[in-house]
Amino acid sequence: MAEIDRPWDDATIASEQVGKKDVIQFLQANAAQRFLADQKLQGSLKNVVKTSKKDNLVKAYNEMFAKKAFKGSEYDVPMENVSTATAALTLGEKKQKKVEEIEVEIPRYKKTVLKKGDKANFPKRGDKVVCYYVGKLADGTVFDSLQPGSKRKKNQPLSFKVGKGNVIKGWDEALLTMSVGEKAEIVIEPEWAYGRHGKPEAKIPSNATLTFEVDLLRID
């Protein structure tokens, strides 16, 4: 596009002979959309007149000629294309981030409620929980157990701070979903149990899926 002639010199445009409305009309008729957006000169003439200062309009007028930011010039990039591309990139980044989060947060256990709790008191990370349990291998073999015992010989329950890595991750995460008084069966995949190393001293083999019945007695 050929360069546009200046309708006003510096002295004339700065004088009262040329009003804000005149400058805005000229800019909106001749400037590239991207330039108008940068200068915040898009919209209805009435609104732009209200929000614009004469000094800023004079500056924009001179800048348009300095940058040759006219309609049809290289400066005149369609704003909708830029916005669409930016939106697509942002959406893509959000989707990627969401996928990554999902991959990290997939639970490696399954919980089945055997007895409902009070549904009011749930432990938070760092709380001390007190519970009884039975641990089994996939074939039903009991490898560990702590139960109340008899009247003559009572067994003290297990207590530990939940969510702090004091037990296997499957326990840490599953117990946070239980309320006081709840009894649940928790099937824990190897990744959140003892993994590929297992626990030989407890006769837990490598890559073992473990099943626990856990009674959450209280939160101390």
Side-chain angles (χ1 to χ4, degrees):
M1 180 179 178
E3 186 170 337
I4 299 170
D5 293 331
R6 288 175 175 263
W8 309 293
D9 58 26
D10 292 343
T12 303
I13 193 173
S15 69
E16 294 182 357
Q17 296 178 35
V18 181
K20 291 196 298 182
K21 184 177 178 181
D22 300 319
V23 181
I24 294 167
Q25 283 180 319
F26 178 78
L27 290 172
Q28 289 185 338
N30 296 284
Q33 289 299 309
R34 178 181 162 192
F35 180 82
L36 292 173
D38 290 345
Q39 299 293 329
K40 298 181 180 179
L41 296 174
Q42 291 178 310
S44 69
L45 180 62
K46 183 178 180 180
N47 288 336
V48 178
V49 169
K50 284 183 179 180
T51 58
S52 299
K53 293 183 178 179
K54 179 67 179 292
D55 290 346
N56 291 336
L57 291 174
V58 173
K59 183 179 178 182
Y61 170 83
N62 289 323
E63 192 172 330
M64 180 187 72
F65 284 101
K67 291 183 176 181
K68 297 184 179 180
F70 310 120
K71 283 184 179 178
S73 67
E74 292 180 359
Y75 200 93
D76 199 11
V77 178
M79 292 304 294
E80 62 271 16
N81 292 350
V82 174
S83 299
T84 301
T86 302
L89 179 60
T90 302
L91 181 61
E93 290 173 346
K94 286 181 178 179
K95 284 183 178 179
Q96 180 63 30
K97 185 177 180 181
K98 188 175 181 180
V99 168
E100 290 173 356
E101 288 175 350
I102 290 173
E103 288 175 352
V104 172
E105 295 299 325
I106 291 175
R108 298 297 181 183
Y109 72 89
K110 180 180 179 181
K111 189 186 81 170
T112 302
V113 177
L114 303 177
K115 186 183 77 173
K116 293 180 180 180
D118 63 12
K119 295 185 178 181
N121 296 295
F122 294 86
K124 300 183 294 295
R125 294 187 188 277
D127 283 348
K128 190 174 183 180
V129 294
V130 180
C131 55
Y132 286 118
Y133 67 90
V134 176
K136 301 177 183 179
L137 301 177
D139 63 3
T141 301
V142 175
F143 63 85
D144 195 9
S145 177
L146 180 58
Q147 292 295 290
S150 63
K151 290 183 179 180
R152 290 185 177 182
K153 187 180 180 181
K154 291 185 177 181
N155 296 321
Q156 291 297 316
L158 175 69
S159 64
F160 61 94
K161 288 185 177 182
V162 70
K164 293 296 183 178
N166 296 316
V167 293
I168 57 176
K169 188 171 182 178
W171 267 59
D172 264 344
E173 298 301 323
L175 276 161
L176 292 173
T177 71
M178 296 176 66
S179 61
V180 172
E182 181 177 329
K183 181 176 182 179
E185 179 186 77
I186 305 167
V187 180
I188 304 173
E189 296 178 23
E191 293 86 348
W192 282 16
Y194 294 99
R196 62 187 180 86
H197 297 294
K199 192 175 182 182
E201 64 272 25
K203 297 182 179 180
I204 298 173
S206 172
N207 294 318
T209 295
L210 306 179
T211 299
F212 292 90
E213 286 186 8
V214 181
D215 287 279
L216 179 57
L217 304 178
R218 63 181 185 273
I219 302 170
D220 284 347

